[in-house]
Amino acid sequence: MLLKELSALASPLNDQQIGQLQQTVAELSPQQLAWISGYFWGLSQTPATAGSNPQPLAQAVATAAKPAGKLTIIYASQTGNAKGVAEALKASAHADGIEVALFSADDYKPRDLAKETHLIIVASTNGEGEAPDNAISLHEFLQSKKAPKLDNLQYAVLGLGDSSYEFFCQTGKDFDAFLSKLGAKAIIPRLDCDVDYDADADTWRADVLGKVKETIGGGADEVVVPLHAATTAGAASAYNKQNPYAAELVTNQKITGRDSGKDVRHIEIDLGESGLTYQPGDALGIYYSNSPELVDEILAKVSLTGDESVEVGGESLSLSKALTDKFEITAANPQQVAAFAELSGSKKLQKLAEDKDKLRQYANNTQVVDVLGEKKTKLSAEQLAGLLRKLTPRLYSIASSQEDVGEEVHLTVALVEFQNGDNTRIGGASGFLAQRAEDAESVKVFIEHNNNFKLPADDNAPVIMVGPGTGIAPFRAFMQERDVRGAEGKNWLFFGDRTFTQDFLYQVEWQKFLKDGLLTKIDLAFSRDQAEKEYVQHKILEQAEAVWQWLQEGAYLYICGDATHMAKDVHEALINVVEQHGGKSREDAESYLNELRKAKRYQKDVY
């Protein structure tokens, strides 16, 4: 019954009281009104103390209108790390008696921010400082004129990123700036986490929840928020990132030619009775051990034997064992280079440390052992361990459909290999898979679900795939899946590499897909087969009219592979396609592609 109808009925309230009640509750939400209902019922059951002055109605309602708040957690995640941190936050909040709701950013209604009291955003960064695909709409909303004032909101932001990249934790920084500009107050300062984020995130989680608990008030009811169905895939398995499955590597086959300048392997791993399940577009996480020869070389560089003891995560280990299984000893990072510059007194490294761009470029192209080799320096075991990041798993795009291959998972792995002077340097995970995994007892694996790189639910929708080099991997999975499902939608592949004869990955399979009619079109760009180099973006421009026609027919567009050059060049080519054949300005073309991203029709898996 409406309040305005009360005055027309027999009521214990006088007109002044009704007016006060109407004025007080006019701006309250349904949740707040429901809370007040319970509050008033409680008051009615409590006898008034003799001689006491009853609270004025407006004051009583004003007191009641301060409901116990709830904590909302939103994750902006491209591959799953931010989602994992957010889920841990939710579990801890619930254990602390805090009412909590968890949302994927694309499941959250941005206008509901005005109703929130406490908010935590966990955000990874995609590409060149871009928001993850699931957070594009929220990111845009907070910058728009539609964004509400958030003076009553307390918030916190945790960013995930890799300091080797220029736009480190940019999405987290963006959300922090947007919320602050709208009047929200930070509960604690934003935390920007590097790749080895577990310990820092755990400490921050305890700090922020402690502050939330001080201010949020009652309630321990968990709010259940439905997420995309794909996020629950594999839930039946006991194995995950924290508890990987010890799998058997069953196939390790080189699929580039004898004279190729690249060593690319087709890897097959048996998931056995693990119960692990995956969908095309997901990734496989690999925990690996480092090369014993590289461990010995690093120890020699800093005059240590490896028998020294170090503590890692509360466990006491020999330094040699820690370097083999616990620390990242291949890829360098800017902070590490700067720290060693100070320890060693190397003038070259000190000069690099003064220029962030040059420091990042050097770190990205130099392995740890060669950083240590810049100036011979004797270090203690603790000093060496202090320079190193914790070893983190590598993620590889899955190259198979489980509907087709059963309890196996396939990968397409390029061996990272380059010369540094007289020394050949090998990548950590790729070297393990290509050269050492067959001799290992097992390969520790887990599934990383990626809801931002998925086939359309509509099997009749056309699909355009751009995947040069090992970017071909998920598209092999896409084709296997569409074949099993009997999908009628058209499929178009753009693939490129160095030479047709040596580097056409899975050539026989693609030719069979084409012959059988599953693959509708294929365009190939082999950069070294002619005088002028040719890449996939050139093929897209050559086929611009047809690409535009497919997009007009509702095609889904996928890009997988190198983020630094390829993905940018392909995106630029697509802008040109939309400009030329869609009759749009550059600004409108960019907006068109952005709308495709928000509609999940333009998806990227780049690295």
Side-chain angles (χ1 to χ4, degrees):
M1 181 175 294
L2 297 176
L3 277 171
K4 66 182 181 181
E5 296 174 317
L6 285 173
S7 59
L9 303 174
S11 167
L13 302 179
N14 61 38
D15 289 345
Q16 182 181 1
Q17 290 172 325
I18 291 173
Q20 288 176 327
L21 192 58
Q22 287 175 317
Q23 182 179 356
T24 303
V25 304
E27 299 298 324
L28 299 183
S29 68
Q31 180 188 20
Q32 291 169 326
L33 289 170
W35 190 90
I36 289 173
S37 166
Y39 177 85
F40 281 164
W41 182 88
L43 288 180
S44 73
Q45 304 305 303
T46 305
T49 304
S52 65
N53 292 321
Q55 261 187 316
L57 178 60
Q59 183 181 343
V61 175
T63 302
K66 297 178 181 176
K70 81 172 191 303
L71 172 63
T72 294
I73 302 171
I74 298 174
Y75 62 86
S77 185
Q78 193 68 25
T79 61
N81 286 336
K83 177 174 179 281
V85 172
E87 288 175 335
L89 263 167
K90 185 195 80 167
S92 295
H94 189 52
D96 284 347
I98 299 170
E99 183 181 346
V100 57
L102 175 66
F103 294 87
S104 171
D106 53 357
D107 285 329
Y108 185 80
K109 296 178 181 178
R111 291 186 182 279
D112 286 348
L113 283 170
K115 304 174 187 176
E116 304 290 0
T117 61
H118 295 74
L119 172 71
I120 296 177
I121 294 180
V122 183
S124 62
T125 296
N126 186 33
E128 296 296 308
E130 301 170 8
D133 288 350
N134 77 321
I136 295 171
S137 294
L138 180 60
H139 193 267
E140 289 181 348
F141 176 82
L142 288 171
Q143 301 174 72
S144 72
K145 293 179 180 179
K146 296 178 181 179
K149 286 294 182 184
L150 300 174
D151 296 333
N152 296 320
L153 178 67
Q154 297 184 58
Y155 77 95
V157 175
L158 186 147
L160 297 180
D162 183 339
S163 60
S164 300
Y165 291 90
E166 180 180 357
F167 298 100
F168 175 56
C169 289
Q170 186 61 51
T171 304
K173 293 173 183 176
D174 288 348
F175 280 129
D176 188 16
F178 298 158
L179 293 171
S180 178
K181 187 176 181 180
L182 292 169
K185 304 296 186 294
I187 300 169
I188 63 173
R190 183 190 73 248
L191 176 66
D192 297 333
C193 290
D194 215 332
V195 290
D196 180 11
Y197 59 81
D198 289 337
D200 290 340
D202 287 346
T203 301
W204 187 88
R205 179 173 73 230
D207 290 345
V208 73
L209 292 180
K211 294 289 186 182
V212 168
K213 196 170 182 181
E214 290 175 10
T215 60
I216 201 166
D221 293 331
E222 181 177 356
V223 177
V224 179
V225 179
L227 301 176
H228 293 308
T231 64
T232 61
S237 176
Y239 299 101
N240 52 36
K241 186 177 182 179
Q242 289 70 39
N243 180 36
Y245 175 66
E248 180 185 359
L249 187 148
V250 294
T251 299
N252 175 2
Q253 177 185 358
K254 186 179 179 183
I255 55 174
T256 41
R258 181 184 303 173
D259 298 324
S260 173
K262 298 195 295 185
D263 183 344
V264 178
R265 304 297 177 101
H266 173 72
I267 302 289
E268 296 181 3
I269 293 172
D270 183 4
L271 297 177
E273 303 299 319
S274 67
L276 288 169
T277 61
Y278 61 87
Q279 298 292 323
D282 288 343
L284 188 74
I286 301 282
Y287 283 96
Y288 63 96
S289 58
N290 288 306
S291 160
E293 292 78 16
L294 182 59
V295 169
D296 291 341
E297 188 176 355
I298 285 176
L299 290 169
K301 293 284 186 189
V302 294
S303 303
L304 292 167
T305 66
D307 295 328
E308 299 83 357
S309 180
V310 291
E311 191 169 296
V312 185
E315 182 182 7
S316 182
L317 299 169
S318 72
L319 180 58
S320 180
K321 177 68 172 173
L323 293 178
T324 302
D325 295 328
K326 300 296 184 180
F327 288 121
E328 168 64 73
I329 64 169
T330 49
N333 63 82
Q335 290 87 346
Q336 180 185 77
V337 175
F340 185 67
E342 186 175 341
L343 283 172
S344 66
S346 165
K347 289 184 170 53
K348 174 184 175 180
L349 295 182
Q350 288 175 344
K351 187 174 181 180
L352 278 171
E354 295 172 359
D355 186 320
K356 288 185 178 180
D357 290 336
K358 289 182 179 178
L359 176 63
R360 188 181 300 107
Q361 185 178 8
Y362 172 84
N364 288 345
N365 292 283
T366 310
Q367 288 201 347
V368 171
V369 65
D370 295 313
V371 175
L372 298 174
E374 292 288 3
K375 185 174 181 180
K376 188 168 180 61
T377 305
K378 180 174 174 57
L379 299 179
S380 69
E382 291 74 17
Q383 285 175 320
L384 177 59
L387 288 173
L388 301 173
R389 287 175 168 173
K390 180 183 173 184
L391 189 65
T392 55
R394 297 291 198 269
L395 295 179
Y396 288 95
S397 300
I398 292 174
S400 56
S401 161
Q402 197 165 30
E403 292 295 324
D404 187 54
V405 303
E407 301 309 314
E408 292 180 357
V409 61
H410 299 176
L411 305 177
T412 310
V413 177
L415 176 65
V416 175
E417 186 175 15
F418 62 94
Q419 290 297 124
N420 185 290
D422 294 332
N423 299 307
T424 300
R425 298 301 180 207
I426 304 294
S430 65
F432 172 75
L433 287 170
Q435 300 178 345
R436 303 190 301 280
E438 286 180 290
D439 296 328
E441 291 183 8
S442 63
V443 180
K444 295 180 179 178
V445 303
F446 62 94
I447 301 297
E448 191 74 74
H449 300 290
N450 183 359
N451 296 318
N452 298 308
F453 201 78
K454 283 287 176 284
L455 277 167
D458 180 4
D459 283 342
N460 293 314
V463 166
I464 301 174
M465 303 164 287
V466 184
T470 55
I472 198 73
F475 303 134
R476 180 177 184 264
F478 278 19
M479 288 299 92
Q480 289 180 354
E481 181 79 5
R482 290 205 118 185
D483 192 22
V484 169
R485 280 162 41 174
E488 296 292 333
K490 297 186 296 183
N491 302 293
W492 186 355
L493 175 70
F494 288 89
F495 174 75
D497 215 308
R498 293 180 178 177
T499 68
F500 177 88
T501 56
Q502 303 295 319
D503 304 298
F504 190 171
L505 306 182
Y506 302 110
Q507 178 182 351
V508 173
E509 292 185 27
W510 288 108
Q511 288 175 332
K512 186 176 187 304
F513 288 147
L514 192 63
K515 181 181 178 181
D516 293 346
L518 180 67
L519 185 64
T520 312
K521 287 172 67 71
I522 186 169
D523 279 272
L524 304 171
F526 293 100
S527 61
R528 301 188 182 183
D529 279 350
Q530 60 283 311
E532 189 172 342
K533 289 187 177 180
E534 193 170 57
Y535 300 106
V536 285
Q537 63 267 24
H538 299 133
K539 291 297 181 181
I540 288 172
L541 291 174
E542 286 178 12
Q543 297 286 340
E545 186 175 357
V547 170
W548 174 250
Q549 184 60 43
W550 278 51
L551 290 175
Q552 292 301 101
E553 294 171 3
Y556 284 64
L557 178 62
Y558 300 88
I559 299 174
C560 183
D562 168 58
T564 306
H565 300 293
M566 183 277 296
K568 292 179 183 177
D569 292 339
V570 168
H571 184 77
E572 186 65 27
L574 291 169
I575 288 175
N576 289 335
V577 168
V578 178
E579 281 182 307
Q580 292 173 18
H581 296 278
K584 299 180 184 294
S585 66
R586 181 179 180 87
E587 183 179 354
D588 287 342
E590 290 174 339
S591 177
Y592 174 85
L593 291 177
N594 202 40
E595 289 302 314
L596 288 186
R597 283 184 66 191
K598 288 191 283 188
K600 303 285 188 185
R601 285 184 51 206
Y602 180 18
Q603 302 180 29
K604 299 178 187 178
D605 179 11
V606 295
Y607 38 84

